Amino acid sequence: MIDRRAVLAGGAALVAGPVLAAVPRFASRRPAPGERRFVSPAVERTIVDVGRRIGDPKLAWMFANAWPNTLDTTVLAASESDSFVITGDIPCLWLRDSAAQMHSYMPLLRDDPKLAMLVRGLIARQARSILIDPYANAFMQDPAAATSLDWAKHDDTVMKPGVAERKWEVDSLCYAIRLAYGYWQATRDPRPFDATWAEAARTIVRTFREQQRKHGEGPYRFRRSAPEPTETLSGGYGAPTRKIGLIHSGFRPSDDSCTYPFLIPANLFAVTALRELAVLARDVRPEPTLAAEATALADEVAKALTAHGRMRLPDGRAVWAYEIDGYGNALFMDDANVPSLSGLAYLGCVTPRDPLWRTTAAAAWSDANPWFFRGRAGEGIGGPHVGRRYIWPMSLIVRALSSDDDATIRACLATLRATDADTGFIHEAFDMDDAATFTRPWFAWANGLFGELILKLAAKRPHLLEAFA
């Protein structure tokens, strides 16, 4: 059976050096205007405006290629009631990825009604997808279709029509809330928050409650026959836990299985998302019971995180754990995929100056993290999904987005600029000693996140872009 790792690993073989060498330096790598899947006038204006303020031609070129990549290539449908956004080289909608891909466009929604419509349609599609199966992470465009993903066709789980993959990840449902809340914050438009959305929101809270597993293992079970142990759950449910009020996650945002089912960054993200849901259920669509339930669950999980979610490193530093089991076992590491420990400030789960988070983030960006790598091409965080030696540009982007130190941000920008293999795009991961060896030449989430960084710097620290060299 071909699994997802085999497909993604093939990206390293897609580097086309001789072809790229024949293209004029800094020629646009976007599709021709008539071939772009979605065009936003506001995005196009911003590309020109911000590009003029970037002193380095290559960095400006990368921004112009990468930031519109979601709109250019991954929008398969766009309407008031149904927008379908794929990840890039996998033709399915991931709740996490599609929400994250839209995030950097949120500030432009008031200026572009068509772009706002795209996001409304995605909120509607995500709500209907959650009602198909809240435990699924990815969905088919046709809600009646069986999965087209070869690696998911024989999974030992309940695969419903419309589901592409059924890996239970707490962050999938958090991202659906983040998308809806971000839309409301940007527009104050109540249109997406209809009865279907409200039912999906209630389903999210119910599913989180089920995965506290206070009264048994719950309805979700998953096993996969695959060469990588991170593709399956032991016994179908994962490692044993003591029920302490946290939410179990089968898989990480990397789609790798958890070592211990209490994934701390995902639970911190859940607290933030539930509080955002409570705002929507109170101020946008009056659902007082839903608002109260979301707040109560957020309070309970937050209390459990304070009591159980921290650990000490061998040198005595107190940090957030990455995963725990409630029995006293804790794992410290970090994975580039967000929610991560490094990404907690970016997601709004902590303040950037929070002392515990700053200590945790510093440890994650060091040899205390087994998935931190430093080589000739750069330094950064990777993860088990691609494996040793591979640095994910996403970790560099999140570090820069979360930093208030010019030198740190400049160093991250320099590495990002130097590790695109002259493609003009951000990849999933690159070899720590050779950036020309990379995975996923078409990865819209990372491209959009890079655009988000450039936009933030243009607004908050323009001197870093103007004088970058």
Side-chain angles (χ1 to χ4, degrees), residues 95-96 130 133-138 157 165-174 203-213 217 220-222 233 236-237 247-253 255-258 261 263 266 270:
L95 293 177
R96 169 186 59 252
I130 290 166
D133 186 354
Y135 287 105
N137 56 325
T157 191
E165 187 173 57
R166 195 174 189 247
K167 286 184 171 178
W168 162 238
E169 300 163 3
V170 167
D171 72 278
S172 292
L173 300 184
C174 295
T203 299
I204 290 173
V205 176
R206 182 176 68 249
T207 303
F208 283 163
R209 281 288 187 195
E210 288 174 352
Q211 286 306 310
Q212 288 180 297
R213 299 187 190 177
E217 299 290 3
Y220 176 77
R221 182 177 180 278
F222 181 96
L233 296 179
Y237 297 100
I247 304 166
H248 296 69
S249 195
F251 294 85
R252 300 166 179 167
D255 296 338
D256 296 329
S257 60
C258 295
L263 179 58

Side-chain angles (χ1 to χ4, degrees), residues 129-362:
S129 297
I130 290 166
L131 292 177
I132 291 172
D133 186 354
Y135 287 105
N137 56 325
F139 295 86
M140 302 294 294
Q141 186 170 8
D142 180 356
T147 182
S148 63
L149 303 179
D150 288 340
W151 59 83
K153 289 180 178 178
H154 304 289
D155 289 344
D156 179 11
T157 191
V158 179
M159 289 290 286
K160 297 179 180 179
V163 170
E165 187 173 57
R166 195 174 189 247
K167 286 184 171 178
W168 162 238
E169 300 163 3
V170 167
D171 72 278
S172 292
L173 300 184
C174 295
Y175 269 106
I177 297 171
R178 186 178 190 240
L179 176 70
Y181 183 77
Y183 178 86
W184 167 249
Q185 290 293 105
T187 66
R188 288 300 195 259
D189 174 16
R191 279 178 289 178
F193 305 99
D194 58 12
T196 300
W197 177 84
E199 184 58 31
R202 285 189 287 271
T203 299
I204 290 173
V205 176
R206 182 176 68 249
T207 303
F208 283 163
R209 281 288 187 195
E210 288 174 352
Q211 286 306 310
Q212 288 180 297
R213 299 187 190 177
K214 294 179 179 179
H215 309 290
E217 299 290 3
Y220 176 77
R221 182 177 180 278
F222 181 96
R223 290 193 301 178
R224 173 178 291 173
S225 177
E228 297 286 346
T230 50
E231 286 296 304
T232 192
L233 296 179
S234 175
Y237 297 100
T241 58
R242 186 166 66 88
K243 315 315 176 195
I244 55 176
L246 294 178
I247 304 166
H248 296 69
S249 195
F251 294 85
R252 300 166 179 167
S254 60
D255 296 338
D256 296 329
S257 60
C258 295
T259 299
Y260 300 127
F262 295 134
L263 179 58
I264 298 303
N267 272 265
L268 285 160
F269 191 18
V271 171
T272 299
L274 286 165
R275 297 203 191 287
E276 292 173 347
L277 176 56
V279 171
L280 296 175
R282 184 182 65 244
D283 297 345
V284 187
R285 179 186 175 89
E287 297 269 352
T289 300
L290 173 60
E293 290 176 350
T295 299
L297 180 54
D299 290 345
E300 182 180 350
V301 174
K303 182 178 179 180
L305 284 163
T306 299
H308 304 284
R310 306 173 190 187
M311 63 179 291
R312 289 197 176 273
L313 297 176
D315 61 10
R317 285 181 293 172
V319 294
W320 285 111
Y322 188 71
E323 291 172 355
I324 67 171
D325 65 358
Y327 287 109
N329 296 304
L331 171 66
F332 184 80
M333 57 166 275
D334 206 18
D335 188 299
N337 287 267
V338 181
S340 58
L341 293 176
S342 300
L344 292 176
Y346 164 69
L347 289 174
C349 303
V350 299
T351 65
R353 294 209 155 282
D354 178 79
L356 177 63
W357 176 74
R358 289 174 76 94
T359 301
T360 302

